[in-house]
Amino acid sequence: MSFPRPARVTPLSLHAVADVIGDRVARLAHGDMGTLVTGVSLDTATVRPGDLWAALPGARAHGADFVDRAVAAGAVAVLTDPDGVARIQAKGVDLPVLETARPREVLGRVAAAVYESAQRRPTMYGITGTNGKTTTAYLAVSALEVLGRTTGLIGTIETRVGQERITSVRTTPETTDLHALLAVMGERGVDDCVMEVSSHALTLHRVDEVVYDVAVFTNLSQDHLDFHGTMEEYFLAKAGLFTPARSRHGVICIDDEWGQRLAGIAAVPVTTVTSRLDVEADWVVGGDPRQPQMTLTGPVGELHLESALPGDFNRVNTAMAAIAMITSGLEPHDVARAVLTRPEVPGRMEIVVPDTEREDLPLAVVDFAHTPDAVGAALAALRPQTNGQLVVVLGAGGSRDPGKRPGMGAAAAAHADVVIVTDDNPRDEDPALIREAVAAGVWPRARARLEVIEGRVAAIRRAVEIAHESGPGATVAVLGKGHEQGQEVRGEVRDHDDRAVLRAALESRSATG
């Protein structure tokens, strides 16, 4: 996939690039310092003529080993480390090479200079947290558009530049693509860009040289410990967003202890938000948590909001989106009106409706919940509106944070009547062992009936069968994959969309009675 590039770029010489990096950490290993570059890339598949190509060391190989591909695609110079220089010289490639000890750490600086993204960028909202990033981002974008503003969106599901949409590969793109995107947004008159900012992006320098006008923290719970190692390191990665190098103002939900701690150590001015009665904050979300209506009381008085999405957690997400916009300078009552619009958030508490008029089918919902807290929150939202049985389909991803698997099963069993444990993205692990780990959290919970079913399609069909046969008022919740349209098994990505499978199962049940 190739992100758009700005139409106009002022060519930058390698000499100027070296100045941007710093004379003490960059030197020309080979070639002409007067060579002009008009773009930056780090993937040979996205190199364009005139690019400075970054050859970075990787876990399995060094980018410099693929320099021939970059040259064939039109790269005019290379940025790499000493090992990369040696590899390129061994290949006999006659291309200017700029050497620096840690090229990934300076790449954002280089990309920002080449694309002049700081001068072109729109108002920037950066949203981080374990759960709620995508929903809060869509709530903000939807409200901003109601207010007549042209928006950009960068996140887990898609990237938008005005009306142009591109499917996202990762939550936050690489820094070379990001700075090009921000420059494009500036060219096309985008007023506001709303971004999901992952902990991986913060750690791996993907958002270097981007300063957010408003940075938002939703919450923190166990996830990604396969990458960060500990919750402390995971937290510190998120906290890095709330420093002068990355943001101007923070909006922090202090419903959990991590948010409270972050509010205390943030190095930028912060506005705090809570939905708890026992916590003091600048803004307080009030009202019955079971109802969509809420009051938001803060520095400008009392605002009356309504969550367009189900669940107490979405009341908080709605409040966070509203406060972020108010913090950026938008009129509070206009913002309160704008957030009433229901956003389309693919795979987030998304109701799946079959092409049938039968009314005896269960309510069917797909959600991306893939942490213990998210699973519990999603099912807690569905429990009150389920008059019959609540049947949940749940798995866990392979090669990712195995410690959260029993907790996910326990969270499902705490709310559901039937828990069907199945496969998510097994990746390179044995699916049976993953299912066993998730099921281990369900076993101690006598309230929920447990079934373990190999194969996600079979599990979804079984869930619809159980819910339909249990009588009226049942709900089927398929959790974990949300908007995803593939299932990764042993290095192969197979076509799979929970929404399509669930819809087909409902229609099949409708046809058979």
Side-chain angles (χ1 to χ4, degrees):
M1 178 191 65
S2 182
F3 288 101
R5 298 272 190 98
R8 299 180 304 279
V9 176
T10 303
L12 204 65
S13 70
L14 285 185
H15 189 281
V17 172
D19 285 345
V20 167
I21 296 172
D23 291 338
R24 294 185 179 181
V25 293
R27 73 176 187 90
L28 189 70
H30 176 77
D32 181 4
M33 283 290 269
T35 301
L36 298 176
V37 299
T38 54
V40 190
S41 56
L42 56 74
D43 184 342
T44 56
T46 62
V47 170
R48 300 187 187 182
D51 273 5
L52 170 66
W53 177 61
L56 306 181
R60 297 186 178 91
H62 198 293
D65 294 335
F66 307 100
V67 66
D68 294 336
R69 298 182 190 176
V71 173
V76 296
V78 180
L79 174 68
T80 191
D81 61 3
D83 184 24
V85 171
R87 291 169 186 258
I88 291 170
Q89 290 175 341
K91 282 179 169 284
V93 175
D94 185 21
L95 204 66
V97 179
L98 199 60
E99 176 189 324
T100 185
R102 291 179 290 277
R104 180 174 286 278
E105 293 180 19
V106 303
L107 196 53
R109 205 180 312 163
V110 172
V114 170
Y115 295 119
E116 299 177 314
S117 54
Q119 298 93 312
R120 304 182 182 196
R121 70 177 182 83
T123 298
M124 297 293 299
Y125 297 86
I127 303 173
T128 198
T130 305
N131 302 311
K133 292 190 299 295
T134 299
T135 300
T136 303
Y138 272 84
L139 285 162
V141 165
S142 176
L144 287 164
E145 290 176 347
V146 169
L147 294 173
R149 301 177 71 83
T150 302
T151 62
L153 172 67
I154 302 174
T156 303
I157 299 173
E158 62 183 344
T159 297
R160 295 188 198 172
V161 181
Q163 297 303 309
E164 182 179 355
R165 299 187 178 204
I166 305 165
T167 302
S168 294
V169 174
R170 54 174 62 89
T171 298
T172 312
E174 290 288 0
T175 188
T176 50
D177 296 321
L178 176 57
H179 284 283
L181 274 170
L182 296 181
V184 169
M185 289 183 187
E187 281 187 341
R188 298 186 187 178
V190 170
D191 299 306
D192 306 277
C193 173
V194 182
M195 272 189 69
E196 297 178 49
V197 184
S198 68
S199 57
H200 288 71
L202 290 160
T203 303
L204 297 174
H205 302 281
R206 291 180 192 153
V207 292
D208 284 4
E209 301 302 312
V210 178
V211 180
Y212 298 91
D213 296 281
V214 182
V216 177
F217 176 86
T218 58
N219 52 61
L220 196 76
S221 62
Q222 184 177 342
D223 201 11
H224 303 305
L225 297 193
D226 56 300
F227 179 78
H228 294 289
T230 66
M231 285 296 293
E232 179 70 11
E233 290 301 316
Y234 183 30
F235 168 75
L236 291 175
K238 298 284 191 185
L241 183 59
F242 298 83
T243 61
R246 298 197 186 277
S247 63
R248 294 191 172 93
H249 199 108
V251 174
I252 300 174
C253 181
I254 57 172
D255 280 354
D256 66 31
E257 62 180 18
W258 297 107
Q260 293 165 25
R261 180 179 168 194
L262 178 59
I265 67 170
V268 296
V270 299
T271 298
T272 55
V273 188
T274 188
S275 63
R276 292 171 50 176
L277 297 177
D278 61 335
V279 175
E280 292 186 5
D282 298 311
W283 288 90
V284 178
V285 182
D288 187 341
R290 296 168 297 181
Q291 300 298 323
Q293 297 81 16
M294 70 186 100
T295 57
L296 189 56
T297 307
V300 301
E302 187 173 274
L303 300 175
H304 295 276
L305 277 65
E306 183 171 332
S307 172
L309 300 171
D312 185 26
F313 59 98
N314 277 323
R315 297 168 81 251
V316 176
N317 290 337
T318 301
M320 295 291 287
I323 294 166
M325 288 184 283
I326 293 168
T327 301
S328 75
L330 298 180
E331 205 284 320
H333 290 90
D334 288 345
V335 170
R337 169 180 56 83
V339 296
L340 296 176
T341 305
R342 181 182 177 89
E344 295 298 326
V345 191
R348 269 64 177 179
M349 297 299 281
E350 183 176 352
I351 297 174
V352 175
V353 180
D355 294 328
T356 177
E357 296 183 358
R358 286 187 55 163
E359 297 181 356
D360 61 339
L361 294 175
L363 173 68
V365 177
V366 168
D367 192 76
F368 192 54
H370 60 281
T371 68
D373 280 8
V375 169
L379 297 179
L382 293 171
R383 182 79 263 178
Q385 64 187 75
T386 302
N387 296 320
Q389 287 205 324
L390 176 55
V391 184
V392 60
V393 177
L394 181 72
S399 307
R400 300 287 190 278
D401 194 2
K404 69 181 181 180
R405 294 169 187 172
M408 292 171 67
H415 299 279
D417 298 291
V418 181
V419 177
I420 299 178
V421 174
T422 188
D423 306 315
D424 191 291
N425 291 315
R427 297 186 176 90
D428 295 323
E429 284 194 64
D430 182 346
L433 295 179
I434 301 174
R435 294 193 299 267
E436 181 180 326
V438 176
V442 180
W443 285 116
R445 310 280 178 162
R447 182 184 184 283
R449 188 173 100 228
L450 171 67
E451 293 191 15
V452 179
I453 297 178
E454 179 181 359
R456 197 167 180 89
V457 173
I460 292 172
R461 289 172 178 167
R462 174 61 177 154
V464 171
E465 176 186 30
I466 292 171
H468 184 251
E469 292 180 351
S470 71
T475 297
V476 174
V478 181
L479 306 182
K481 292 180 62 61
H483 66 284
E484 293 178 357
Q485 297 184 40
Q487 187 174 30
E488 187 177 346
V489 183
R490 299 291 180 190
E492 176 189 358
V493 178
R494 304 171 182 174
D495 288 342
H496 178 91
D497 187 329
D498 278 351
R499 297 164 295 183
V501 174
L502 183 52
R503 183 176 293 108
L506 291 166
E507 290 172 353
S508 175
R509 182 57 45 181
S510 176
T512 58

